[in-house]
């Protein structure tokens, strides 16, 4: 088991952070080709689909990329240091002893492909959710190991 007092363990975003953008791209590509194969071709729908593919999809991918770059969770020296969010970055730095519970909450896609969200509940009842994390189960194990070792 990883010792929380040892060298920092860094966790980053999982690739599934890009999945919603890729689904939007695939759906609108399908709409484009569907509208193009109608007789007569549905030019208005085809134009809307092309505009979404040209403008919206790149913006969604850029947003996911910036979220992925900003997402990091480090566990070191008995503390959890998390940073996530774009365009407004959030930062959470707290000792592991202040954490009452951690839960892993994967979405359906993340159950299939890995990754998930980490729900952190503090002793005072405040909750934080860090979504799209690469290995939230490892963070939960490290925190649980520290909490279990604290009473021994």
């Amino acid at each position: 088991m990883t010792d929380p007092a040892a060298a920092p363990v860094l966790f980053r975003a999982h690739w599934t952070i890009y999945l919603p953008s890729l689904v939007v791209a695939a759906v609108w590509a399908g709409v484009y080709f569907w509208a193009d194969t109608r007789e007569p071709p549905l030019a208005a729908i085809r134009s809307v689909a092309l505009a979404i593919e040209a403008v919206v999809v790149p913006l969604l991918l850029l947003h996911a990329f910036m979220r992925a770059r900003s997402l990091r969770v480090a566990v070191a020296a008995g503390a959890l240091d998390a940073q996530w969010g774009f365009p407004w970055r959030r930062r959470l730095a707290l000792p592991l002893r202040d954490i009452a519970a951690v839960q892993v909450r994967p979405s359906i896609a993340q159950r299939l492909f890995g990754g998930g969200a980490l729900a952190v509940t503090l002793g005072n009842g405040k909750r934080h959710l860090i979504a799209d994390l690469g290995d939230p189960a490892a963070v939960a194990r490290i925190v649980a190991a520290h909490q279990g070792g604290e009473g021994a």
Side-chain angles (χ1 to χ4, degrees):
M1 200 59 61
T2 306
D3 181 18
V9 180
L10 183 65
F11 300 92
R12 303 292 301 209
H14 193 260
W15 70 266
T16 53
I17 199 168
Y18 298 101
L19 206 52
S21 305
L22 298 175
V23 168
V24 169
V27 166
W28 282 100
V31 169
Y32 175 84
F33 289 116
W34 172 81
D36 195 43
T37 60
R38 300 297 100 198
E39 194 53 52
L42 304 172
I45 294 174
R46 196 174 56 196
S47 297
V48 168
L50 191 59
I52 289 173
E53 289 286 347
V55 177
V56 175
V57 170
L59 288 174
L60 288 173
L61 287 169
L62 178 65
H63 184 261
F65 174 74
M66 295 306 288
R67 282 183 56 224
R69 287 201 49 186
S70 71
L71 176 60
R72 66 178 55 94
V73 174
V75 182
L80 178 89
D81 183 30
Q83 178 178 314
W84 72 99
F86 177 82
W88 295 279
R89 198 165 285 177
R90 297 179 63 190
R91 183 156 184 155
L92 180 66
L94 40 97
L96 293 179
R97 68 178 180 281
D98 291 348
I99 299 174
V102 288
Q103 292 179 318
V104 177
R105 295 184 178 173
S107 67
I108 293 170
Q110 290 168 333
R111 284 188 191 122
L112 292 172
F113 302 118
L118 183 70
V120 178
T121 306
L122 304 179
N124 63 6
K126 191 170 183 180
R127 296 179 180 178
H128 299 279
L129 184 68
I130 306 167
D132 299 314
L133 196 56
D135 195 1
V139 178
R141 282 193 303 272
I142 292 171
V143 172
H146 182 267
Q147 289 172 337
E150 210 173 42

